Amino acid sequence: MAANDTIADMLTRIRNANLARHQTVDIPSTKMTRSIAQVLNEEGFIADFIEAGEGNRRLLSITLKYHGKTRDPIIKNLKRVSRPGLRVYSNRKELPRVLGGIGIAIISTSSGIMTDRDARRQGVGGEVLCYVW
């Protein structure tokens, strides 16, 4: 599969694995997917991630997180905002709030990939990649 939109592919794989209650999900590793996985890990949406494989065949193995005995997924939804056909940018004053601050927006800034909260704190804007809640 020659997916041009690696971020949408990553979000879809996580969404599907969550629905099927999988423990881990494998995603082709790129600098962008690694950064997004790092943000999801720091914000507590995923348990952990590791990179495996060699050369061009590197995979990110993401360990998903569920609530206690009910095994309800921590991630309720993932929504791609900016896409290759329609980029969505936001300056520092207009950074989106997801569900009144319950969720996060992942922003690609000149200082790297970060949450809307961190971008607001650092006073930078950028491309709004996706919403997670």
Side-chain angles (χ1 to χ4, degrees), residues 22-25 45-50 61-65:
H22 287 302
Q23 196 60 47
T24 61
V25 58
F45 285 106
I46 61 174
D48 201 11
F49 70 98
I50 52 169
S61 187
I62 295 178
T63 307
L64 300 173
K65 225 171 165 181

Side-chain angles (χ1 to χ4, degrees), residues 44-97:
F45 285 106
I46 61 174
D48 201 11
F49 70 98
I50 52 169
E51 195 171 7
E54 68 282 327
N56 288 347
R57 293 272 165 244
R58 296 187 73 70
L59 285 178
L60 271 184
S61 187
I62 295 178
T63 307
L64 300 173
K65 225 171 165 181
Y66 298 97
H67 289 290
K69 289 189 175 78
T70 57
R71 284 192 55 80
D72 290 331
I74 297 278
I75 298 174
K76 296 282 178 260
N77 209 338
L78 298 149
K79 184 173 183 245
R80 182 78 161 111
V81 179
S82 191
R83 47 183 224 268
L86 180 66
R87 301 282 185 196
V88 177
Y89 295 95
S90 182
N91 67 28
R92 65 195 179 105
K93 294 183 187 86
E94 295 161 4
L95 286 168
R97 274 204 159 76

Side-chain angles (χ1 to χ4, degrees), residues 1-29:
M1 181 181 97
N4 291 334
D5 193 356
T6 53
I7 300 168
D9 179 51
M10 174 186 193
L11 298 179
T12 301
R13 285 179 190 223
I14 292 173
R15 207 177 294 119
N16 290 343
N18 248 341
L19 284 171
R21 301 284 199 273
H22 287 302
Q23 196 60 47
T24 61
V25 58
D26 290 336
I27 295 162
S29 178

